[in-house]
Amino acid sequence: MSCLKHACFPEWMFQITCGCTPCNHSSTRVNGGSFNLTRIFPVIGNLDAEDIEDFETKTRSTVSVREGQGVVLLCGPPPHFGDLSYAWTFNDNPLYVQEDNRRFVSQETGNLYIAKVEPSDVGNYTCFVTNKEAQRSVQGPPTPLVQRTDGVMGEYEPKIEVRFPETIQAAKDSSVKLECFALGNPVPDISWRRLDGNPLPGKVKYSKSQAILEIPNFQQEDEGFYECIAGNLRGRNLAKGQLIFYAPPEWEQKIQNTYLSIYDSLFWECKASGKPNPWYTWLKNGERLTPEERIQIENGTLIITMLNVSDSGVYQCAAENKYQIIYANAELRVLASAPDFSKNPLKKTSVVQVGGDITIECKPAAFPRAAISWKRGMESLRQSKRVFLSEDGSLKIYNVTRSDAGSYTCTATNQFGIAKNTGSLVVKERTVITIPPSKMDVTVGESIVLPCQVSHDPSIEVIFIWSFNGDVIDLKKGVAHFERIGGESVGDLMIRNIQLNHSGKYLCTVKTTLESLSAVADIIVRGPPGPPEDVRVEHISSTTSQLSWRPGSDNNSPIQIFTVQARTPFSVGWQAVSTVPEILNGKTYNATVVGLSPWVEYEFRVVAGNSIGIGEPSKASELLRTKASVPVVAPTNINGGGGSRSELVITWESIPEELQNGEEFGYIIMLRPVGSTTWTKERVPSVESSRFVYRNESITPLSPFEVKVGVYNNEGEGSLSTVSIVYSGEDEPQLAPRGTSVQSFSASEMEVSWNAIAWNRNTGRVLGYEVLYWTDDSKESMIGKIRVSGNVTTKNITGLKANTIYFASVRAYNTAGAGPSSPPVNVTTKKSPPSQPPANIAWKLTNSKLCLNWEHVKTMENESEVLGYKILYRQNRQSKTHILETNNTSAELLVPFEEDYLIEIRTVSDGGDGSSSEEIRIPKMSSLSSRGVPVLEPSVCFLSIVIIFYCFAIQPLIR
């Protein structure tokens, strides 16, 4: 039988031994277990490449430990392929045991380490193993952990139980994890360091307990000795190891496919990095190359001279160190052929401008390279000051003239043959900017035009492109402010409503297929200054404030003046304030604001101006409150009077908050009877008070007092108002009015009258009278009250019900209230006026005399009898109405009929005027005559039926 670990452990810790014979210590023992692993790595013949078997289901032994001891619980994973990860659970908790400074799960061994056992650790522990590649987890049988009852383990120095290897090979760019965990009491602290004196890399990561040091992206500079220190109050223990950097080869330079002509030379070089440094070998078509007369091999270079067709093939450069071998592949093709223009003919037409330069390329495919010669028309070309034949076969002509136009033929020759190809040269006139844009100085808001006009060859298309401070203006997208104007040869740019941010360089670029020209102009846009910056309150007193600021942009026009503005919770917006100095020129960046109100919150801002105008204001300063001071504004409109007996009521207009100058604001009342020399002083601590009642039983009614009202706050007492005379309170009137009577004037109106009261100070002052009225209909509880002032002794009351008994009573009043009421009197209102209007109205018109007739109106039993009639008449275009009263049912009117008249008739009764008839329109005389209506001229108005019928007959005609 093989065990995972079979060493005996000291008294300070326990470890499951998978069924091994327990160690014999005098103070501790491990109970023999029935769970055995037959082998650590048994022969695995039936596992997949990425798989893990299940744990054996045998019960594991109980582990008995003392409190304070350390313990290691072994996992013992089943047979498997691939990398594993480990986790442990405690009792029935579905969550894994969380790592802390006392507990650690090693991902190298799978074991659970508890540095110092506590009573809460007692329970069942289960190991979970996961195959990362197979994504399959298996669960081991639980391991019981119980606490011994024979004492508590004392303190002891750390014992490192989890160590990293003494030597670790670490690949470049890999992530290296070092594990280090110790058992001990007290629980040891884990720390790390490099033994070469260098600090740990800044990229390192630690686990929660510091038991794992991770170095991601391992590089050459991370190589060296690392040490883990475990320490507690009893001592320390160390573990160290060396990290050795290695890197397989990586290509820095590869060979590329190459096509060369026969007899040329090949030079290839490949380079690779790695640790240790790689060595190189070369292969052709899979066979290793060896140096020969034409072939030179040195490290990563390959040289083959005097190439022939047989040298063609696939070559490989191999770079190798002890960790890996890598290959770079490339094809070499050696070519031999006569000149051929089929794939790269001469340009059919080359275009150039007068005075320009032109290159006509001649690059036929030819292996070996061909000899080149040129002809213009039938004339052979030779090199001159303007004509140059380059080594690659191209023809260059400098300072082209009109006479250079024509056809050009390139002839190519090598040992395998000859080939020719022809193209033409077209010479155009040059493009010239005739009117370029010029420097301009403008004011914000103006509109300007930047000219850009050219002369050019008519056959060449010209494109205008405008740029602003290096950025192209896309005029096709309708950019705000910018607009292109002009025709084919004119590329003027209009800038509408120019702004400050339009200052800068404007470049007009003129492009053709042959050339590109440009002209630049500077535009300076001047405007009002920008907002001042950094407005600060340096010092603040009760009435002044010292400000400082920095000027904003002058927007290309010097700042001439600054203005300081202030705002309070009581002001309407921002207001200009007085400063010292009074005038703030453009070079002044601080000032003292004067004339402020004490104990008021202020914000300040600064506005700058120049010759263009006033700019935007600065941001507001911080909100600050001025210092408090004694209030200086006294209350106004001192008044009062009224109130009850023995009271003096004093009123005033309260002081607004911005004038209170400090906290604990209130009012001071100074009063004395007229003729007295001694003032009585009272305080009213309420800020919002505007009324004070002084009570004293010795005050006689309507006594005059001298009164002054002042102010105070925490800083002291302020000003007093001027003296005002205020009378004390009075008693209500003691007498009731006499001689009260009432009479009805109509169905809705009655008049109440009484005798005035002759009053004196003893009977109570009378300021006026109250008339009370009500009905005897208790269901409606209808009651009214009307006041009249002064010595008025009658009052008309309207809006009453018809044919209803009303009661009325009168009483006097003054500031103290109302006195006793007079005995009630009553009256019955008149019946309602007739509800029916006059009907069957007939009229007859002769010259200026109008005869009217109507039927007598019969009334209902509950209506007043008809006493007569009112005739209301007015001209059509005038609003003034005339009234004629009559007791008859006919009337005669003498009116000049220069225009139409409007007439209506209503009844008259004791109950008032009744309903009106419909309005009758009487047309003017000329209108009647023009329509051929007969005009009757009797000398009197007849009341006969004939006349009435006659009127009825002609009335529709006249209307």
Side-chain angles (χ1 to χ4, degrees), residues 332-352:
L332 171 64
R333 187 178 298 178
V334 181
L335 305 173
S337 66
D340 180 12
F341 284 98
S342 61
K343 293 185 178 180
N344 194 18
L346 262 65
K347 190 174 182 180
K348 192 171 185 179
T349 302
S350 298
V351 182
V352 67

Side-chain angles (χ1 to χ4, degrees), residues 527-532 553 555 561 565 606-610 612-618:
S553 171
N555 291 332
I561 192 170
Q565 298 176 340
V606 182
V607 180
N610 59 16
I612 307 301
I614 302 298
E616 291 293 321
S618 69

Side-chain angles (χ1 to χ4, degrees), residues 541-553:
S541 69
S542 60
T543 58
T544 65
S545 175
Q546 293 180 5
L547 298 184
S548 66
W549 61 89
R550 291 188 295 109
S553 171

Side-chain angles (χ1 to χ4, degrees), residues 61-74:
S61 302
T62 298
V63 178
S64 178
V65 294
R66 291 176 179 168
E67 180 182 348
Q69 279 187 286
V71 68
V72 180
L73 305 182
L74 301 186

